[in-house]
Amino acid sequence: MKPCPRCEASIDDSARFCSQCGAPQNEEAAEELDQYVQRQAKQVAGGAGSGGGGNGGRDGVTAADVFGVAAEELTEREQLWRRGSYVLGYATVVVALTQITNPGAWFLLLGGIAILPPTRRLLGLPVGGTFKREAMAGLYAVFVVLGVVLFFAL
């Protein structure tokens, strides 16, 4: 029996991993663990849809389809648009929820949800792409104008 270098638990001399903390006990086990972690990271990032047969893509929809490309792949202008959409969308949703008893708040809520980037991609999946940012911004503007008009009219 030897102690685990990580947690000091007694483990068998031939053990590849510690039974208490899971730490690898030799270089081969460490490399195996590293490869496993890399495969899991690819599956989470949506890379499993192109091979391996993992559960990354049901009906051909991967995580990249739903959440879009990674932030590193976007231009600075696209990142700014995405951040602005999130801020504007969530701020509109919060305002709508604070005034939910007013009928105009329902249009504000719809507008806030429409401008969020995941909504744009999810609504575009059935037609094979994403809706244009300008189309979603126009939809947001229509809902907000209707909401504000109803908010003050009623």
Side-chain angles (χ1 to χ4, degrees), residues 88 92 104 107-112 115 137-151:
L88 191 61
T92 306
F107 286 101
L108 290 175
L109 184 64
L110 288 173
I115 196 73
L139 187 62
Y140 170 80
V142 167
F143 279 132
V144 168
V145 167
L146 283 172
V148 169
V149 167
L150 285 174
F151 188 78

Side-chain angles (χ1 to χ4, degrees), residues 105-124:
W106 291 98
F107 286 101
L108 290 175
L109 184 64
L110 288 173
I113 292 171
I115 196 73
L116 294 173
T119 304
R120 182 168 64 95
R121 284 183 291 279
L122 286 172
L123 290 175

Side-chain angles (χ1 to χ4, degrees), residues 2-58:
K2 65 178 182 175
C4 173
R6 183 172 179 197
C7 70
E8 302 296 324
S10 295
I11 57 173
D12 189 61
D13 290 334
S14 63
R16 295 169 33 106
F17 296 95
C18 176
S19 61
Q20 297 295 316
C21 69
Q25 298 301 307
N26 56 35
E27 286 297 317
E28 183 181 302
E31 288 178 21
E32 181 183 333
L33 179 63
D34 185 47
Q35 291 173 357
Y36 173 77
V37 169
Q38 289 178 3
R39 282 193 312 268
Q40 293 300 317
K42 285 181 183 177
Q43 286 181 351
V44 169
S50 60
N55 61 359
R58 293 178 206 255

